C-alpha cells in the first residue's frame, strides 16, 4: 500500500480499493487496472472472509494474477475488526491490512492499532487505521463524530499507521440523497498528517466531490456498493437470457469491470 500511496501523491490521483466477493470481481478489477494502466487495490473485508469465502484461497488466486501485472496491485484486508482477523490476513499473504478500531475508546484504538502496526511492519505489511465514525447510511451524522484534525495528528504519531481512514460526512452503503463532505476539515487533517488518507463509503458520492476530495488530500477511495448494484442489475437483466450459469460469470465480470473502470478514470482525472 505504501507504494500505491506514494504513486497517488506523486501523480495527484486517488487509487481505488474495490472489494471482491468472488473471482469474477477480482478478474474485473484486475483487468480494469491493466487496461487503464492505473494502480488498484483488491479488498477483502473481514466479514466477507468470515461469512462467504476462504480468504487464504482467494488471496492465493489474486497473487497469481498479480504475478502478471503491469501495474501496482495489492491485496488489502478491509475493515479488520479483530486482532485475530488481522493476524489471519497477515498469515494469508495480504500486502496491507486495515484495523478498524473506530468503535473503541480513543486510547484503546491507539493501543490496539499501534500493536498491530508493530507486528505488520515487522512483516513488511502496511497498515490503515480509522479515526472518527464513518457509520452506515441512515445513521445520524454530526460533527462531533467526524475526525478531529488535532486528534488525527496525535493518532498517526502514536500508532505509526501508513494510512488513515477519515470521517468527513461519508458513510458506508447506498446513500439516501447526496452526502455533504466537509472539505475544510479534510484539508485541515491533511495539513496535520503526511500518511495516506482514505475515503470510505465511496459509492454514491458525486463525481465532483470525489475529485475535490482527492484535490484536498485523499489518496485511497473505497468502493463496494456500486459493484454490488451493478452485479445484481446484470443478473436481473439477463436472468432469462443466459442459458447456463457460466454465461453469468462472463456477464458479471463485464458489469463490475465497467463500474471499476469508470471510477478509476474519475479518480485519476487530476493526474499529472
Amino acid at each position: 500500500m505504501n507504494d500505491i500511496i506514494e504513486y497517488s501523491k506523486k501523480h495527484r490521483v486517488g487509487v481505488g480499493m474495490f472489494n471482491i466477493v468472488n473471482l469474477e470481481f477480482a478478474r474485473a478489477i484486475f483487468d480494469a487496472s491493466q487496461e487503464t494502466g492505473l494502480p488498484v487495490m483488491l479488498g477483502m473485508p473481514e466479514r466477507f472472509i468470515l461469512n462467504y469465502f476462504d480468504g487464504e484461497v482467494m488471496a492465493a488466486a489474486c497473487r497469481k494474477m498479480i504475478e502478471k501485472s503491469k501495474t501496482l496491485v495489492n491485496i488489502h484486508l478491509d475493515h479488520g475488526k479483530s486482532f485475530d482477523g488481522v493476524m489471519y490476513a497477515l498469515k494469508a499473504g495480504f500486502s496491507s491490512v486495515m484495523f478498524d478500531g473506530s468503535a473503541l475508546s480513543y486510547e484503546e484504538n491507539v493501543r490496539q492499532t499501534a500493536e498491530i502496526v508493530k507486528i505488520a511492519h515487522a512483516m513488511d505489511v502496511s497498515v490503515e487505521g480509522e479515526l472518527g465514525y464513518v457509520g452506515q447510511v441512515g445513521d445520524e451524522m454530526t460533527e462531533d463524530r467526524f475526525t478531529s484534525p488535532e486528534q488525527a495528528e496525535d493518532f498517526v504519531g502514536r500508532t505509526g499507521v501508513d494510512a488513515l481512514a477519515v470521517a468527513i460526512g461519508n458513510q458506508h452503503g447506498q446513500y439516501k440523497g447526496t452526502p455533504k463532505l466537509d472539505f475544510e476539515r479534510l484539508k485541515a487533517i491533511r495539513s496535520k498528517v503526511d500518511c495516506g488518507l482514505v475515503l470510505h463509503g465511496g459509492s454514491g458520492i458525486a463525481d465532483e466531490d470525489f475529485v475535490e476530495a482527492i484535490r484536498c488530500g485523499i489518496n485511497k477511495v473505497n468502493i463496494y456498493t456500486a459493484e454490488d448494484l451493478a452485479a445484481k442489475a446484470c443478473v436481473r437483466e439477463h436472468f432469462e437470457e443466459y442459458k447456463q450459469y457460466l454465461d453469468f460469470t462472463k456477464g458479471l465480470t463485464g458489469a463490475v469491470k465497467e463500474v471499476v473502470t469508470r471510477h478509476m478514470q474519475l479518480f485519476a482525472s487530476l493526474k499529472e
Side-chain angles (χ1 to χ4, degrees):
M1 183 171 65
N2 283 342
D3 291 340
I4 286 174
I5 290 170
E6 286 307 310
Y7 180 98
S8 166
K9 290 179 178 180
K10 179 179 179 180
H11 297 287
R12 292 190 72 208
V13 304
V15 176
M17 188 226 69
F18 301 90
N19 281 329
I20 62 177
V21 300
N22 54 29
L23 286 178
E24 284 78 27
F25 274 56
R27 182 85 246 175
I29 298 161
F30 180 81
D31 286 351
S33 176
Q34 300 312 292
E35 291 178 16
T36 61
L38 295 167
V40 77
M41 298 175 68
L42 302 171
M44 291 185 239
E46 182 179 328
R47 71 179 183 91
F48 285 15
I49 296 169
L50 290 174
N51 297 307
Y52 297 102
F53 57 73
D54 186 319
E56 189 174 5
V57 172
M58 189 71 79
C62 290
R63 282 198 300 274
K64 291 301 292 183
M65 283 193 288
I66 292 171
E67 287 176 6
K68 307 173 184 177
S69 181
K70 300 176 291 185
T71 62
L72 284 170
V73 183
N74 92 324
I75 305 169
H76 180 74
L77 175 70
D78 188 29
H79 285 290
K81 297 279 191 176
S82 67
F83 182 84
D84 288 345
V86 173
M87 293 305 107
Y88 174 93
L90 292 175
K91 292 174 184 176
F94 285 53
S95 44
S96 61
V97 295
M98 177 192 186
F99 174 66
D100 179 3
S102 59
L104 304 170
S105 70
Y106 177 69
E107 288 299 328
E108 188 61 17
N109 189 5
V110 168
R111 187 190 70 78
Q112 291 194 30
T113 303
E115 182 181 5
I116 285 169
V117 167
K118 184 176 180 180
I119 296 168
H121 281 184
M123 300 173 68
D124 199 27
V125 172
S126 43
V127 180
E128 174 185 340
E130 182 167 330
L131 186 62
Y133 181 73
V134 175
Q136 302 294 326
V137 170
D139 291 346
E140 183 181 3
M141 296 304 295
T142 54
E143 289 193 3
D144 63 297
R145 307 182 92 173
F146 291 0
T147 306
S148 157
E150 292 73 27
Q151 204 169 59
E153 182 178 29
D154 182 71
F155 184 86
V156 172
R158 291 171 63 189
T159 62
V161 291
D162 305 288
L164 180 68
V166 296
I168 55 169
N170 46 312
Q171 292 180 288
H172 298 109
Q174 189 175 6
Y175 291 94
K176 297 176 181 178
T178 303
K180 182 176 177 58
L181 303 183
D182 189 341
F183 295 115
E184 292 305 313
R185 182 180 297 269
L186 175 58
K187 286 188 280 189
I189 295 168
R190 171 46 77 206
S191 72
K192 298 283 188 181
V193 302
D194 190 49
C195 69
L197 292 180
V198 184
L199 185 69
H200 282 245
S203 298
I205 290 175
D207 287 358
E208 58 270 24
D209 285 350
F210 274 130
V211 175
E212 184 62 19
I214 293 163
R215 194 192 310 274
C216 292
I218 288 293
N219 305 107
K220 171 178 173 276
V221 183
N222 285 22
I223 299 289
Y224 171 63
T225 300
E227 298 172 82
D228 177 72
L229 293 173
K232 288 187 289 190
C234 175
V235 172
R236 286 194 297 268
E237 181 180 353
H238 299 289
F239 189 77
E240 298 297 337
E241 172 191 347
Y242 290 161
K243 302 303 180 185
Q244 54 183 340
Y245 181 77
L246 191 61
D247 294 324
F248 281 102
T249 65
K250 184 181 290 187
L252 287 171
T253 300
V256 173
K257 179 181 169 186
E258 184 177 341
V259 168
V260 171
T261 299
R262 188 186 81 78
H263 282 90
M264 290 178 73
Q265 291 173 334
L266 175 65
F267 301 160
S269 58
L270 294 173
K271 191 174 189 298
E272 294 180 344

